[in-house]
Amino acid sequence: MCTTCGCGPDEHHDHDHGEGHHHHHHEGESRPEAGTRIAVETDLLAKNRHFAEGNRQLFAARELFVLNLVSSPGSGKTTILERTLRDLAGEIRSAVIEGDQQTDNDARRIAAAGVPVQQINTGAGCHLDAHMVGHAVDHFDLTNLDLLFIENVGNLVCPASFDLGEHHKVVVLSVTEGEDKPLKYPQMFHAADVMLLNKVDLLPHVDFDVAKCREMARRVNPAITIFEVSSRSGEGMAAWYGWLRKNVKGEK
Amino acid sequence: MHELSLTQSIVDICLQHGEGKRVTVVVLEIGDLSGVVPDAVEFCFDACSRGTLLEGARLVIERIPARGVCHDCRAEFSLGTYFDPCPSCGGFSHAVISGEELRVKELEVE
Ligand SMILES: Nc1nc2c(ncn2[C@@H]2O[C@H](COP(=O)(O)OP(=O)(O)OP(=O)(O)O)[C@@H](O)[C@H]2O)c(=O)[nH]1
Ligand SMILES: [Mg+2]
Ligand SMILES: [Zn+2]
Ligand SMILES: [Zn+2]
Ligand SMILES: [Zn+2]
Ligand SMILES: [Zn+2]
């Protein structure tokens, strides 16, 4: 799938694709003299963006709807996926890419739900990038899929900057985390199109002001779609499934 | 944090563009909303440039202030955060027009 480099599945490499040579070489400028300035104007994330674009084209060609799930550690991303996959089994054909620094625990939980899954371990890495995702996608039979979930590394900061080629970022915030998270991590809430406010079954036991949280999320991102859910009790999940159905159909 | 890998891409980009010469100055543009901590980049730069043509190069970081344009009244204004209201109409809906930059602007080579 790595169309840029042609490297096969499972091949991990760190080579350079030589892109980023966007500056113009004029005759006589090719051998700069001492103290010569060279205009570069190259984005640090250009390489990632390039891979993300490749992923996006592939997803469009295969009519695959792709979501990038982001949250701080423990907000409930995997639990939401487990429940969603079980409830939509037989209706929407899904697959999951699991990103974690270490372990394949989450991938094993997803596999138990009967869905194809690929684990990416980032080691010290604090986010998934588009190149890793491109290789993981290689392992799925895309002709038989409607929906791909990418569970990012639990981290409300870094994954905001890395486009994976997804249609939308979905940010999960749980009611045990405090309602001011959108203002504390504005880049992520700004980048997301959907917010799942999870663990609402715990609302009676915690000091969490849902209205205030919604208001803060909308300040950072007025267009954000918010669903209040509990992946434990199932409360509110129907509205989320409705959104998924509509969008999966929209890709066809 | 990924300042280390970002700094590694700074070094890669500079080596690609430096045409095999020793690089003496690297000019970076970092937007105020980019989420990147300039001090951390400077810290990583020493480590990432060691043993390359960039070793010892001076790192110049130009901060780019954030500006937004209001979706409601079209006013252009300076943004401190993603959630500053429009000073003209008080609305929260705006597009960021600058401040998310993260790029190598230019180099000086020997
Ligand atoms: N009460 C309650 N607990 C939940 C809910 N959803 C998840 N949990 C619990 O929260 C904990 C973390 O859930 P995970 O689904 O593993 O969270 P995660 O976001 O995938 O975590 P990382 O992958 O480590 O970042 C587990 O103990 C879950 O059982 C919920 O809706 N209500
Ligand atoms: Mg998880
Ligand atoms: Zn590759
Ligand atoms: Zn490659
Ligand atoms: Zn990071
Ligand atoms: Zn306005």
Side-chain angles (χ1 to χ4, degrees):
Chain A
M1 141 80 216
C2 191
T3 46
T4 314
C5 65
C7 57
D10 291 328
E11 228 175 280
H12 291 286
H13 56 270
D14 203 18
H15 62 256
D16 196 285
H17 297 169
E19 46 141 339
H21 288 275
H22 300 310
H23 66 290
H24 303 285
H25 292 266
H26 300 292
E27 289 302 316
E29 263 184 27
S30 53
R31 292 175 55 84
E33 298 306 314
T36 308
R37 296 234 145 194
I38 300 176
V40 180
E41 299 292 349
T42 299
D43 199 299
L44 299 193
L45 298 173
K47 207 157 142 184
N48 185 70
R49 193 161 306 139
H50 182 78
F51 281 110
E53 211 39 62
N55 292 348
R56 208 179 328 275
Q57 282 170 18
L58 177 76
F59 299 152
R62 300 308 184 96
E63 302 180 329
L64 187 62
F65 184 58
V66 182
L67 297 175
N68 178 1
L69 263 79
V70 292
S71 82
S72 45
S75 301
K77 298 178 295 297
T78 309
T79 314
I80 287 171
L81 286 179
E82 290 174 299
R83 184 156 196 140
T84 302
L85 296 167
R86 290 205 162 93
D87 288 348
L88 297 181
E91 182 185 348
I92 295 178
R93 299 166 302 174
S94 309
V96 177
I97 294 172
E98 276 294 339
D100 288 290
Q101 290 200 323
Q102 306 287 342
T103 85
D104 62 351
N105 295 349
D106 286 359
R108 283 193 273 117
R109 286 166 60 186
I110 297 298
V115 160
V117 58
Q118 280 297 316
Q119 177 77 51
I120 301 175
N121 284 129
T122 59
C126 41
H127 57 267
L128 293 177
D129 68 40
H131 188 222
M132 299 170 182
V133 166
H135 280 282
V137 164
D138 261 349
H139 297 264
F140 297 123
D141 174 10
L142 298 185
T143 48
N144 290 313
L145 286 181
D146 307 309
L147 173 60
L148 173 65
F149 290 106
I150 304 169
E151 179 180 334
N152 219 311
V153 177
N155 174 346
L156 265 183
V157 181
C158 309
S161 302
F162 291 82
D163 183 6
L164 304 179
E166 74 274 4
H167 290 85
H168 304 285
K169 286 188 178 67
V170 175
V171 62
V172 180
L173 175 62
S174 67
V175 302
T176 54
E177 294 175 71
E179 65 258 332
D180 58 350
K181 279 285 186 299
L183 298 191
K184 285 184 173 162
Y185 299 93
Q187 205 188 359
M188 185 61 90
F189 288 82
H190 187 79
D193 295 312
V194 176
M195 171 170 124
L196 298 179
L197 184 57
N198 190 34
K199 310 195 188 179
V200 295
D201 59 292
L202 297 178
L203 278 174
H205 313 288
V206 294
D207 240 347
F208 186 96
D209 187 332
V210 173
K212 221 156 138 192
C213 181
R214 282 177 165 272
E215 197 259 325
M216 289 194 256
R218 293 236 151 87
R219 267 171 73 182
V220 179
N221 183 351
I224 200 164
T225 300
I226 302 173
F227 297 108
E228 293 170 28
V229 301
S230 166
S231 52
R232 170 135 331 151
S233 71
E235 184 183 343
M237 295 293 280
W240 157 240
Y241 299 157
W243 184 89
L244 285 174
R245 284 190 190 98
K246 191 179 82 201
N247 282 281
V248 164
K249 212 186 246 160
E251 274 313 294
K252 300 291 161 190
Chain B
M1 278 310 292
H2 53 270
E3 268 80 0
L4 189 63
S5 64
L6 285 178
T7 308
Q8 188 55 53
S9 36
I10 294 171
V11 171
D12 293 346
I13 290 168
C14 292
L15 292 175
Q16 277 170 30
H17 288 78
E19 310 186 354
K21 304 275 180 172
R22 173 160 295 281
V23 176
T24 50
V25 181
V26 175
V27 184
L28 292 182
E29 292 178 314
I30 299 186
D32 282 344
L33 293 178
S34 68
V36 166
V37 184
D39 282 355
V41 172
E42 277 184 57
F43 182 81
C44 296
F45 186 73
D46 274 352
C48 291
S49 61
R50 200 160 299 144
T52 73
L53 287 167
L54 272 79
E55 183 164 343
R58 190 159 57 89
L59 194 60
V60 178
I61 296 183
E62 297 180 356
R63 302 304 308 258
I64 301 192
R67 294 190 62 78
V69 58
C70 178
H71 279 146
D72 301 321
C73 75
R74 308 309 299 168
E76 222 185 282
F77 57 98
S78 141
L79 276 175
T81 63
Y82 274 111
F83 48 87
D84 282 354
C86 167
S88 307
C89 74
F92 282 106
S93 178
H94 58 249
V96 176
I97 51 181
S98 74
E100 293 179 317
E101 297 79 2
L102 208 52
R103 63 180 172 239
V104 181
K105 184 183 179 191
E106 57 180 3
L107 303 177
E108 202 168 303
V109 296
E110 259 179 7

